[in-house]
Amino acid sequence: MDQQKRLAQANNFLQILPHCKKLGMKIITASDGQLTLELPYNPDISGMDPEGYVHGGILTTMMDTVCGFSIIASLPTPEFCPTLDLRIDHMRRANAKGSIFAWAECYKITRSVCFTRGYAYQDDPNNPIVHCVATFVRSGKTWGSNGFVKVGAKGAIL
Amino acid sequence: MNLNQLIQTCKQQGDFNAMLEFIPYAKFIGVEIEEDDQGWLFTLGTEPSNVGNPISPALHGGVVAGFMEVAAALAQMLSTTEPTLPKIIDFSIDYISAGKVEPTHARCSLVRQGKRIANVHVVAWQSHIEQPIATARAHFLLSEEA
């Protein structure tokens, strides 16, 4: 698929997910099987620390989102794939100021399962804040205007 | 007020939600704490903004994970005599079923409290604890003084 079209499609879909919209997440790059997400800094998302580092839950949310969207960037037709499990390693804390970027790729898809991996960073992709692996289950369904429909059926919104 | 004083005040007043005032993220997703005969019970409210999938609708998996991480850190701080700010090292979550837009509860067990590392297991459920929606394990680094 054309890269610009895929990016626009992925961003439109991200905006209908309430939690992602509230956080102001934005997809900035999308290519076959890979995606980069940007999260602007927000003081409401810090942890228990006077310096206001970003809470781990926000980084897990970013990684769950970007890993899930990397599947949409991989499959020829978008498919609803809920998260089966996710593991996140924290290498260092995210600075209080500035955007966080999260990159993920879907590196293997089987008939039932999608395997993804990714990391988040601020200034330098070679000095990541977190590293993550997450596994998703294929449902065979996709998003329709009135609920889920089978992949390939009429009424799909993606 | 340092961390130890804050925790002591919360314990004296029986109001643990004062701790949440110091965690903007916990307020952002709507976490509450109470103590009952089985220990600390954590509850995630039903804010519409916690939804990740509007069609089912279902909670965002990242919010469920964030709630469980908040619960694990608070349980660790409340369970120790010399609390320090626990720093997350890693977090692993298994999703068992989709979280409905209903109150979600969590209980934690401090599997190991070492000098530097704590291992905390978390179970999250909605209707019955026997039917969890997710289980998780967190490792925290405890070396920094509060």
Side-chain angles (χ1 to χ4, degrees), chain B residues 57-122:
Chain B
L59 299 178
H60 194 298
V63 174
V64 175
F67 163 58
M68 293 171 84
E69 185 182 322
V70 167
L74 287 167
Q76 192 280 323
M77 280 189 271
L78 288 164
S79 305
T80 183
T81 50
E82 292 176 16
T84 57
L85 274 181
K87 261 174 99 172
I88 188 79
I89 300 170
D90 57 39
F91 183 86
S92 177
I93 180 165
D94 292 342
Y95 292 97
I96 296 160
S97 62
K100 296 174 191 162
V101 189
E102 296 177 1
T104 307
H105 309 288
R107 284 196 193 276
C108 304
S109 49
L110 198 53
V111 176
R112 181 165 192 268
Q113 165 82 55
K115 276 185 182 163
R116 294 167 61 205
I117 307 283
N119 175 313
V120 187
H121 278 205
V122 191

Side-chain angles (χ1 to χ4, degrees), chain A residues 19-113:
Chain A
H19 195 66
C20 301
K21 189 179 174 187
K22 187 175 184 190
L23 285 168
M25 283 184 189
K26 195 169 77 175
I27 296 165
I28 55 169
T29 70
S31 62
D32 290 335
Q34 300 187 13
L35 216 77
T36 310
L37 199 67
E38 180 179 357
L39 177 81
Y41 180 69
N42 168 350
D44 293 340
I45 60 174
S46 62
M48 187 190 256
D49 189 300
E51 290 171 28
Y53 68 91
V54 174
H55 195 277
I58 283 292
L59 294 160
T60 307
T61 298
M62 277 195 93
M63 295 318 299
D64 185 34
T65 305
V66 74
C67 288
F69 270 75
S70 74
I71 300 166
I72 294 180
S74 296
L75 291 167
T77 308
E79 185 173 327
F80 171 59
C81 299
T83 321
L84 180 65
D85 60 52
L86 178 150
R87 147 93 186 222
I88 183 165
D89 294 344
H90 295 258
M91 260 71 73
R92 61 185 183 88
R93 282 181 167 176
N95 297 328
K97 299 286 185 288
S99 288
I100 300 172
F101 301 94
W103 174 90
E105 67 171 354
C106 179
Y107 64 92
K108 177 70 180 172
I109 294 178
T110 71
R111 275 191 300 179
S112 303
V113 180

Side-chain angles (χ1 to χ4, degrees), chain B:
Chain B
M1 187 166 19
N2 70 25
L3 185 66
N4 208 348
Q5 289 167 334
L6 172 64
I7 292 173
Q8 292 312 318
T9 305
C10 287
K11 285 184 174 172
Q12 282 160 12
Q13 296 178 350
D15 178 11
F16 301 94
N17 292 304
M19 286 182 79
L20 299 171
E21 296 295 331
F22 292 85
I23 313 175
Y25 178 67
K27 301 294 284 183
F28 183 74
I29 59 172
V31 180
E32 293 184 358
I33 320 173
E34 58 193 283
E35 189 179 19
D36 63 16
D37 54 0
Q38 293 172 62
W40 314 107
L41 176 67
F42 300 89
T43 301
L44 177 71
T46 55
E47 280 76 352
S49 60
N50 285 345
V51 169
N53 169 359
I55 288 177
S56 295
L59 299 178
H60 194 298
V63 174
V64 175
F67 163 58
M68 293 171 84
E69 185 182 322
V70 167
L74 287 167
Q76 192 280 323
M77 280 189 271
L78 288 164
S79 305
T80 183
T81 50
E82 292 176 16
T84 57
L85 274 181
K87 261 174 99 172
I88 188 79
I89 300 170
D90 57 39
F91 183 86
S92 177
I93 180 165
D94 292 342
Y95 292 97
I96 296 160
S97 62
K100 296 174 191 162
V101 189
E102 296 177 1
T104 307
H105 309 288
R107 284 196 193 276
C108 304
S109 49
L110 198 53
V111 176
R112 181 165 192 268
Q113 165 82 55
K115 276 185 182 163
R116 294 167 61 205
I117 307 283
N119 175 313
V120 187
H121 278 205
V122 191
V123 57
W125 75 95
Q126 292 186 320
S127 46
H128 303 287
I129 194 168
E130 295 79 17
Q131 295 174 312
I133 62 162
T135 61
R137 186 272 299 143
H139 281 133
F140 293 103
L141 184 65
L142 310 170
S143 57
E144 287 175 31
E145 292 298 318

